[in-house]
Amino acid sequence: MSAARIYQRPKNATQSGRARTDQWVLDYLPREATPVDPLTGWNGLADTRAEVKLHFPTLDAARAYADKHGIDYVVVPASRPKLKLQAYADNFR
């Protein structure tokens, strides 16, 4: 049985805009731990499903896809930014 997580795309940290943050992403979880290559010491991955990311316009569409294809999934709720409100004069205290 394959497992996946469904989450809403986060805002890009290097941009001020919120383009495509309304999309939902389904990506597969790895089936096994990543093995370490003994020669280079790098992590390898034999499971190419971990590289697949499917984009959906709504959470319901992502859930419907997972249910149709028999994929166990976990919905990760989107985190809300915490605003630190302060006055400009606070910079000089």
Side-chain angles (χ1 to χ4, degrees):
M1 204 66 189
S2 55
R5 68 182 177 132
I6 299 173
Y7 61 94
Q8 195 169 15
R9 288 181 62 152
K11 180 181 140 338
N12 189 344
T14 60
Q15 301 284 329
S16 62
R18 297 194 173 274
R20 292 184 274 163
T21 56
D22 56 341
Q23 290 183 352
W24 289 83
V25 180
L26 182 143
D27 61 352
Y28 291 96
L29 299 175
R31 293 183 199 174
E32 57 200 33
T34 57
V36 177
D37 186 295
L39 182 62
T40 62
W42 295 353
N43 288 346
L45 187 62
D47 185 17
T48 57
R49 287 181 330 126
E51 298 176 16
V52 175
K53 291 187 180 193
L54 302 173
H55 300 275
F56 298 94
T58 63
L59 175 60
D60 293 333
R63 284 182 172 170
Y65 178 85
D67 290 337
K68 179 180 177 182
H69 293 284
I71 301 169
D72 293 332
Y73 61 89
V74 175
V75 177
V76 179
S79 62
R80 298 290 175 217
K82 296 176 184 173
L83 298 176
K84 181 181 174 186
L85 300 175
Q86 63 182 20
Y88 178 69
D90 292 342
N91 292 330
F92 303 103
R93 291 185 183 178

